[in-house]
């Protein structure tokens, strides 16, 4: 028998023995989509509440008698949705984690975090997500890297951020993932 | 059919073959199910756009196979590290009890680099033309042929089988 015949026969026979749980998987996919939608609505509501609070605060300042209103801060917390470029400078530690180079990261409105890593990074970046709770970002980005795998305690990192017209700067609140901390806090994220 | 029904229809028609293909590439059923699920979640997120494509099934297959190749590359590196650390605790190439009709064949395929493995599965199991396989893997068609020829030579040696000159 030639290797081609053996491959055709053997692979078809092996595949026939596999029973995918298709209907259960469909239910899970749809449930995940519903959760993402709920999260997206939550983010939208949070942003709307924040916007209302900002308007009310502004009105109060304007109507207060005496003294000019304080100037707005140079940077402030702001919405994350959008695309950012993160240039991670090379270093031995970063080379070991395959972090060096340009990352292009998009916060989608639906809670998905689209990550385009530099060419040297060969881990998986798909399926990452984020949510904003109490003005803190929680994300599971890079969760398949060594030391960042999902467990009950380490599935997400939590960060605060300040936004300016040029981009974002994160500060870690809690995270056990060395690579994620470096990616998020090692350098500012610039708008392209 | 409405939007949801269209997605459900695509899911039930594409999911079984996709999981089988991923299983043959990864040799891990749980990982195959997980990656298929992740690819369909991505598809559903982009469904309003992708549903108008000529072949939404090709889109989800491309996402899933590329994820599987990356995962297989990681597994391969981890296995190498484990082998360095502890001799042959989990020697690759040893067939498990549930490895189908031809365990030697599957064990030999598992020794191929992940891209070669994917080309072999897509070519011999899914019967896809090389142009399509190259599109799925994101490489040139000529590169796909190189992967296939290297894989056949390697498998021929491992299985002690003859390798015809031309597979086309």
């Amino acid at each position: 028998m030639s290797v081609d015949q053996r491959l055709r026969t053997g692979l078809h026979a092996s595949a026939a023995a596999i029973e995918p749980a298709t209907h259960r998987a469909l239910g899970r996919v749809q449930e995940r989509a519903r959760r993402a939608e709920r999260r997206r609505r939550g983010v939208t509501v949070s942003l709307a509440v924040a916007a209302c609070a900002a308007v009310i605060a502004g009105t109060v300042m304007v109507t207060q008698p005496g003294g000019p209103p304080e100037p707005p801060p140079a940077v402030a917390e702001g919405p994350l949705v959008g695309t950012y470029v993160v240039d991670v400078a090379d270093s031995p530690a970063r080379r070991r984690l395959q972090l060096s180079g340009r990352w292009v990261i998009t916060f989608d409105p639906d809670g998905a975090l689209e990550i385009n890593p530099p060419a040297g990074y060969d881990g998986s970046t798909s399926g990452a997500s984020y949510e904003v709770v109490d003005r803190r970002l929680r994300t599971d980005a890079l969760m398949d890297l060594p030391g960042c795998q999902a467990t009950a305690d380490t599935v997400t990192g939590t960060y605060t951020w300040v936004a300016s017209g040029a981009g974002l700067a994160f500060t870690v609140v809690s995270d056990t993932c060395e690579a994620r901390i470096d990616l998020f806090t090692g350098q500012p994220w610039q708008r392209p | 059919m409405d939007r949801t029904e269209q997605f459900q229809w695509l899911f039930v028609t594409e999911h079984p073959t996709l999981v089988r293909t991923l299983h043959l590439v990864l040799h891990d059923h749980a990982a195959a199910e997980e990656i298929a699920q992740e690819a369909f979640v991505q598809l559903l997120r982009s469904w309003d756009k992708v549903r108008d494509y000529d072949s939404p099934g090709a889109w989800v297959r491309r996402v899933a196979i590329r994820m599987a190749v990356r995962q297989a590359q990681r597994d391969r590196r981890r296995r190498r590290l484990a082998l360095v650390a502890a001799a042959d605790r989990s020697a690759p190439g040893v067939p498990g009890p549930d490895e189908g009709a031809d365990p030697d064949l599957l064990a030999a395929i598992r020794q191929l680099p992940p891209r070669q493995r994917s080309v072999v599965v897509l070519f011999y199991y899914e019967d896809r033309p090389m142009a399509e396989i190259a599109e799925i893997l994101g490489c040139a068609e000529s590169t796909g042929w190189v992967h296939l020829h290297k894989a056949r030579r390697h498998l021929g040696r491992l299985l002690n089988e003859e390798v015809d000159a031309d597979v086309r």
Side-chain angles (χ1 to χ4, degrees):
Chain A
M1 188 189 289
S2 74
V3 74
D4 302 294
Q5 286 170 312
R6 191 161 171 189
L7 279 163
R8 284 190 203 285
T9 310
L11 286 175
H12 278 93
S14 299
I18 298 163
E19 289 293 337
T22 295
H23 287 283
R24 199 170 54 201
L26 175 59
R28 283 182 186 153
V29 166
Q30 291 182 313
E31 176 54 30
R32 283 182 63 181
R34 277 193 288 272
R35 277 207 307 267
E37 176 63 15
R38 281 198 295 270
R39 209 163 47 212
R40 187 189 65 77
R41 285 189 187 151
V43 169
T44 307
V45 168
S46 300
L47 293 175
V49 168
C52 288
V55 168
I56 291 166
T59 307
V60 168
M61 280 198 297
V62 167
T63 54
Q64 271 179 344
E70 289 186 16
V75 292
E77 291 174 338
L80 295 170
V81 173
T83 297
Y84 301 88
V85 171
V86 191
D87 286 312
V88 179
D90 194 25
S91 74
R94 286 167 165 174
R95 223 172 298 143
R96 180 173 55 78
L97 294 167
Q98 300 178 330
L99 288 178
S100 307
R102 170 160 287 198
W103 296 69
V104 180
I105 300 177
T106 301
F107 289 99
D108 285 342
D110 64 358
L113 193 58
E114 309 285 346
I115 302 176
N116 290 301
Y121 182 84
D122 60 6
S124 171
T125 52
S126 62
S129 63
Y130 75 98
E131 61 181 355
V132 175
V133 178
D134 294 334
R135 298 194 172 207
R136 289 182 172 192
L137 169 84
R138 298 180 69 228
T139 179
D140 59 4
L142 309 184
M143 64 185 281
D144 65 326
L145 275 180
C148 308
Q149 281 90 355
T151 68
D153 300 323
T154 64
V155 66
T156 58
T158 304
Y159 297 81
T160 57
W161 75 93
V162 289
S164 71
L168 301 172
F170 289 98
T171 305
V172 64
V173 175
S174 65
D175 200 348
T176 56
C177 172
E178 179 193 348
R180 189 162 53 212
I181 293 172
D182 195 6
L183 178 63
F184 273 72
T185 66
Q187 51 285 306
W189 292 27
Q190 307 287 342
R191 289 195 181 274
Chain B
M1 270 197 286
D2 69 13
R3 175 187 186 279
T4 304
E5 287 169 342
Q6 277 181 327
F7 178 81
Q8 289 172 341
W9 174 255
L10 180 83
F11 192 98
V12 296
T13 52
E14 294 284 345
H15 181 266
T17 307
L18 182 58
V19 170
R20 291 187 178 108
T21 296
L22 294 170
H23 184 126
L24 293 173
V25 171
L26 294 166
H27 301 273
D28 180 337
H29 187 73
E33 291 270 9
E34 195 177 313
I35 285 179
Q37 191 181 122
E38 184 56 45
F40 275 105
V41 167
Q42 290 193 27
L43 176 65
L44 189 49
R45 275 185 198 145
S46 308
W47 186 234
D48 286 335
K49 186 173 64 179
V50 178
R51 67 196 282 210
D52 293 330
Y53 289 2
D54 287 342
S55 175
W59 190 96
V60 73
R61 176 166 269 87
R62 188 166 60 237
V63 170
I65 295 287
R66 290 182 187 186
M67 286 166 67
V69 167
R70 285 195 296 267
Q71 165 129 353
Q73 287 167 338
R74 281 198 305 278
D75 290 347
R76 203 172 154 86
R77 275 199 302 276
R78 283 180 193 142
R79 204 162 49 224
R80 277 196 198 130
L81 291 173
L83 283 172
V84 169
D88 57 354
R89 203 183 313 148
S90 61
V94 177
D98 59 342
E99 291 211 328
D102 194 342
D104 291 341
L105 174 71
L106 295 186
I109 291 172
R110 192 162 51 186
Q111 293 191 40
L112 297 174
R115 277 183 167 259
Q116 287 183 23
R117 223 185 289 168
S118 303
V119 171
V120 163
V121 173
L122 291 167
F123 190 85
Y124 290 102
Y125 169 58
E126 291 205 1
D127 280 326
R128 291 188 182 274
M130 188 53 76
E132 212 174 298
I133 294 171
E135 164 68 19
I136 288 170
L137 291 173
C139 65
E141 189 177 338
S142 56
T143 308
W145 283 116
V146 170
H147 283 316
L148 185 64
H149 287 304
K150 283 184 178 171
R152 290 170 72 243
R153 277 205 304 273
H154 193 175
L155 292 172
R157 276 197 305 274
L158 289 172
L159 298 167
N160 204 21
E161 297 279 12
E162 59 185 275
V163 181
D164 296 336
D166 193 359
V167 71
R168 291 186 223 197

